[in-house]
Amino acid sequence: MICIKNGRVHDAVHETPYIGNILIEEDKIISIGSDFSVPVDAHIIDAGGMEVYPGFVEAHCHLGLEEYGIGYEGMDINELNDAVTPQMRGIDSINPLDPTFEKAAMAGITCVGTGPGSGNVLGGTFAAIKTVGHCVDDMIVKDGVAMKCAFGENPKNCYKNKSVYTRMTIASKLREALYKTRDYLARKEAAEGDISKTPAYDFKLEALIPVIKGEMPLKAHAHRADDILTAIRIAKEFGVGLTLEHCTEGHLIADKLASENYPLAVGPSLTHATKFELRNKSFTTPGILANAGCQVSIITDSPVIPQEYLPMVAGLAVKAGMKPFDALKAITINPAKHLGIEDRVGSLEPGKDADIVIMNGSAFESLTETVHVLINGQLIK
């Protein structure tokens, strides 16, 4: 049993932090506050004068799929033999021994949604994983949190003069896959287990069945406003779940996005505008969208921005006008909701995983040091 005592608790539930104790048993938080007795055998962590946060969560990155200090041998983000690859699973490319995991964990990023990149119209599934471990299967919080799809320049550039040339083609390929899956599922269900009536097994369509059934959202890479709206149009057309990733021009259509109420993952903003669709990127975007009433997560899209700098980029959003509590939620509870794992992580509450970060100052300040990190109730720093 562990007790974190006298820290200033930022629980991502209440806007105002408070001085309190956190009692941990095995891998869960069991009590928070100051009105419980601390067991005599508890290991005490004195957090007096320090800031205590939930473990930071990222909704969208590629941690472990593009390895550190290596080229082709460790480049496992995009399968570029086919523009439509929903059958790919991010967990089959993740290398938990890559040094970026330790860098992330030591900085207090305790859980991430990671998976395939945006080269393909359909790229495969994301998983939510903790950032410590030697075997990815032991690190999984939830596999299949989303099915990656992509709009805009990335599929166009990857398949130019091959199979994708226009945005119309991207949309049509996604629609075709969803139409085929809907038909395939209907035929499977109508067969009622009769092998003579069951359609021939299709690996790609099988992977998309959870999307059609509403069990897994599309995770739509979209920077430009028109691409964001195309993603929404197609999701509505098929009645499927959707999260919107990057949203570089989201501030241009903030009222529309607020009315649609899809989760938004915003970023990476701390980069050069390397392509035309990034020309309107701004650190003001997360705050504008949050003020409009959107559920906003801030992302590094690591390795675009190193994973360990997630709190820093949230701080830059605060500098650009985002409310501090909105920024805190954008790297804790909102990405947990975005990934569908808010019952486990994202806030400091009894019953949740004991993923906790203790810092000697504000998480949003670049000079702040991470003093202690607990993941699954284990003190890793």
Side-chain angles (χ1 to χ4, degrees):
M1 191 169 286
I2 297 173
C3 185
I4 300 170
K5 293 193 68 175
N6 303 319
R8 190 165 179 255
V9 178
H10 305 255
D11 60 15
V13 178
H14 304 93
E15 183 168 357
T16 303
Y18 53 90
I19 304 299
N21 304 329
I22 303 175
L23 191 61
I24 300 161
E25 186 170 19
E26 294 183 349
D27 61 346
K28 298 293 182 183
I29 297 169
I30 59 172
S31 297
I32 300 180
S34 55
D35 58 351
F36 59 83
S37 58
V38 179
V40 294
D41 60 344
H43 172 68
I44 303 298
I45 298 175
D46 184 3
M50 298 187 191
E51 312 296 319
V52 182
Y53 296 95
F56 302 123
V57 183
E58 171 140 358
H60 178 116
C61 69
H62 310 286
L63 191 66
L65 286 89
E66 183 176 340
E67 296 178 38
Y68 191 77
I70 192 172
Y72 170 79
E73 298 86 349
M75 185 71 69
D76 292 307
I77 289 183
N78 291 301
E79 177 51 65
L80 296 179
N81 288 310
D82 185 349
V84 179
T85 58
Q87 74 277 22
M88 301 294 159
R89 299 176 69 197
I91 62 168
D92 295 326
S93 274
I94 295 168
N95 177 11
L97 298 180
D98 188 74
T100 51
F101 276 94
E102 183 178 6
K103 290 173 180 288
M106 292 298 104
I109 292 82
T110 58
C111 185
V112 299
T114 186
S118 50
N120 292 351
V121 176
L122 280 162
T125 55
F126 264 58
I129 63 172
K130 297 295 179 76
T131 54
V132 292
H134 295 104
C135 173
V136 70
D137 302 274
D138 299 331
M139 299 159 67
I140 292 171
V141 178
K142 183 180 179 182
D143 192 13
V145 293
M147 173 64 68
K148 184 68 178 290
C149 65
F151 296 84
E153 293 180 32
N154 284 14
K156 280 168 59 74
N157 287 333
C158 288
Y159 293 93
K160 183 168 56 177
N161 299 326
K162 296 176 185 176
S163 59
V164 176
Y165 199 80
T166 68
R167 283 176 163 81
M168 293 182 291
T169 302
I170 293 169
S172 70
K173 283 185 176 293
L174 179 56
R175 281 193 177 95
E176 179 183 25
L178 294 173
Y179 272 122
K180 284 183 175 179
T181 304
R182 191 163 63 184
D183 178 72
Y184 178 79
L185 177 60
R187 292 177 184 276
K188 280 189 68 172
E189 291 176 341
E192 296 182 335
D194 185 341
I195 192 67
S196 67
K197 297 178 182 178
T198 301
Y201 183 85
D202 190 307
F203 199 15
K204 291 184 178 183
L205 302 185
E206 286 286 337
L208 284 168
I209 285 176
V211 175
I212 289 294
K213 293 176 73 172
E215 299 168 353
M216 180 193 301
L218 290 172
K219 190 175 187 70
H221 165 109
H223 286 282
R224 259 173 38 176
D226 58 333
D227 290 327
I228 294 169
L229 296 173
T230 297
I232 292 171
R233 184 182 313 117
I234 293 174
K236 285 183 170 182
E237 192 176 315
F238 289 89
V240 299
L242 177 70
T243 65
L244 293 163
E245 317 294 310
H246 304 304
C247 303
T248 301
E249 294 188 349
H251 58 282
L252 303 180
I253 51 171
D255 290 345
K256 175 67 173 175
L257 291 177
S259 68
E260 295 292 352
N261 201 33
Y262 292 108
L264 310 177
V266 181
S269 301
L270 188 62
T271 60
H272 185 64
T274 55
K275 49 188 176 180
F276 184 73
E277 65 187 9
L278 300 182
R279 71 197 188 283
N280 287 316
K281 72 180 183 65
S282 170
F283 272 109
T284 64
T285 304
I288 291 170
L289 291 171
N291 286 341
C294 300
Q295 179 187 298
V296 175
S297 299
I298 291 172
I299 64 172
T300 65
D301 197 24
S302 73
V304 179
I305 300 169
Q307 190 70 67
E308 59 265 31
Y309 295 134
L310 178 62
M312 186 189 75
V313 294
L316 290 170
V318 173
K319 181 181 178 181
M322 191 176 197
K323 297 173 184 174
F325 187 56
D326 286 338
L328 175 61
K329 290 191 292 183
I331 57 171
T332 54
I333 192 61
N334 284 357
K337 292 177 179 177
H338 195 106
L339 297 168
I341 55 172
E342 68 272 23
D343 61 324
R344 293 273 306 272
V345 301
S347 61
L348 298 176
E349 299 179 82
K352 287 198 172 184
D353 292 3
D355 295 351
I356 301 170
V357 184
I358 303 172
M359 311 182 91
N360 65 2
S362 169
F364 303 141
E365 298 291 337
S366 63
L367 295 179
T368 293
E369 296 178 348
T370 303
V371 179
H372 294 298
V373 179
L374 293 91
I375 301 180
N376 297 324
Q378 299 297 310
L379 188 64
I380 68 163
K381 181 178 182 179

